[in-house]
Amino acid sequence: MSDLRTASTTDSDWVRRYHPSARPAVRLVCFPHAGGSASYFHGVSAALAPDVEVLAVQYPGRQDRRAERPLRSVEELARGAVAALRPWAEAGPLAFFGHSMGSMVAFEAAVSLTRAGLAPRLLFLSGRRAPSRVREENVRLRDDAGIMAELRELGGTEAALLDDDELREMILPALRADYHAVETYGPRSGPAVACPIVALVGDDDPRTTVEEARAWADHTSGPFDLRVFPGGHFYLNARVGAVLEAINSRLLPAG
């Protein structure tokens, strides 16, 4: 096996390393939200290096993978990520962080790696209700203006980007595929992993209530913790310091 510690910053189509570390204590795999890309976690990577090395997942259909067909199911996204992450899981401990759709992909990837005997050390699942808590959603069926309205309501995308016709045309195919993946993800019940889960949620999130986030406890046979932050669906954009502290305190406990 090649030495992953000295691999390039683009290790595969699926993984981006912005701040490679020679000997990290742990690697944190970050899974983006619907419409998001690996670069969303560039600042997180810089803040956590070098003790925690971030591996940011890049889904097909965005940024440097824009020419590829976007995937339309959480299971497909998880399978692609797992294939790329397996060598990393074999090389050393991994933890996962996912936000919104990324939480679903992270969870399914963790289930798959657990079955292979390569369970992640810890799951941070942010801004998404547990898969046992189901809502009827239909964003995937809206026209382009309807999808843009959803993005504006959630507040995770800069208004200037949404107002740019060319940029809108670039991101819409991946967005529509992502919403299809989110809204057709089948419900789950019972524990599917044994690693600890830390659920993170904004106290004013219109898409995930605190109780819906708390229900992630039902999906692990290991420890569970819930962290509630002021804010909406993208609470983490305004609470970066507090979120990073929550991550660091669990990955690098004092003593």
Side-chain angles (χ1 to χ4, degrees):
M1 181 185 301
S2 61
D3 187 348
L4 296 177
R5 293 174 301 176
T6 58
S8 67
T9 56
T10 303
D11 296 283
S12 76
D13 289 341
W14 285 84
V15 177
R16 302 290 175 273
R17 282 200 304 166
Y18 297 116
H19 303 90
S21 179
R23 296 186 182 277
V26 63
R27 292 184 170 99
L28 179 67
V29 183
C30 292
F31 295 79
H33 54 278
S37 58
S39 62
Y40 183 75
F41 295 106
H42 186 278
V44 173
S45 175
L48 295 180
D51 292 332
V52 177
E53 182 181 72
V54 167
L55 307 178
V57 172
Q58 186 77 300
Y59 307 134
R62 57 218 78 201
Q63 292 189 327
D64 54 335
R65 303 189 69 185
R66 187 162 57 89
E68 300 178 48
R69 178 183 64 86
L71 301 180
R72 288 165 53 86
S73 79
V74 168
E75 292 81 3
E76 283 184 297
L77 290 164
R79 280 196 296 271
V82 165
L85 292 170
R86 185 171 184 125
W88 296 97
E90 292 171 344
L94 297 180
F96 287 178
F97 179 97
H99 180 66
S100 195
M101 181 185 80
S103 290
M104 305 158 75
V105 180
F107 180 69
E108 287 299 322
V111 171
S112 180
L113 286 172
T114 297
R115 290 171 179 163
L118 295 168
R121 173 190 291 185
L122 182 62
L123 297 181
F124 296 97
L125 303 177
S126 166
R128 184 66 192 180
R129 59 189 177 274
S132 53
R133 299 296 184 268
V134 180
R135 296 190 192 185
E136 289 296 323
E137 297 174 311
N138 63 0
V139 176
R140 72 189 186 282
L141 303 179
R142 299 181 189 177
D143 60 13
D144 293 351
I147 291 182
M148 291 299 109
E150 174 76 3
L151 295 189
R152 293 181 192 278
E153 180 182 352
L154 294 181
T157 307
E158 293 181 20
L161 298 179
L162 300 180
D163 292 336
D164 186 298
D165 291 343
E166 185 176 350
L167 288 175
R168 265 204 320 273
E169 290 303 311
M170 287 173 58
I171 66 174
L172 270 168
L175 262 175
R176 195 171 289 282
D178 287 352
Y179 275 110
H180 186 277
V182 168
E183 294 176 357
T184 59
Y185 178 56
R188 274 186 174 273
S189 61
V193 297
C195 59
I197 289 179
V198 178
L200 306 93
V201 66
D203 62 5
D204 195 30
D205 188 337
R207 298 296 177 264
T208 302
T209 68
V210 171
E211 289 308 309
E212 286 173 328
R214 194 188 310 277
W216 278 110
D218 299 336
H219 298 278
T220 179
S221 58
F224 175 78
D225 189 20
L226 176 68
R227 299 295 304 271
V228 181
F229 297 87
H233 189 65
F234 281 93
Y235 71 89
L236 65 178
N237 289 350
R239 305 287 171 181
V240 174
V243 173
L244 290 176
E245 182 181 356
I247 292 172
N248 251 331
S249 67
R250 295 301 299 264
L251 293 181
L252 304 171

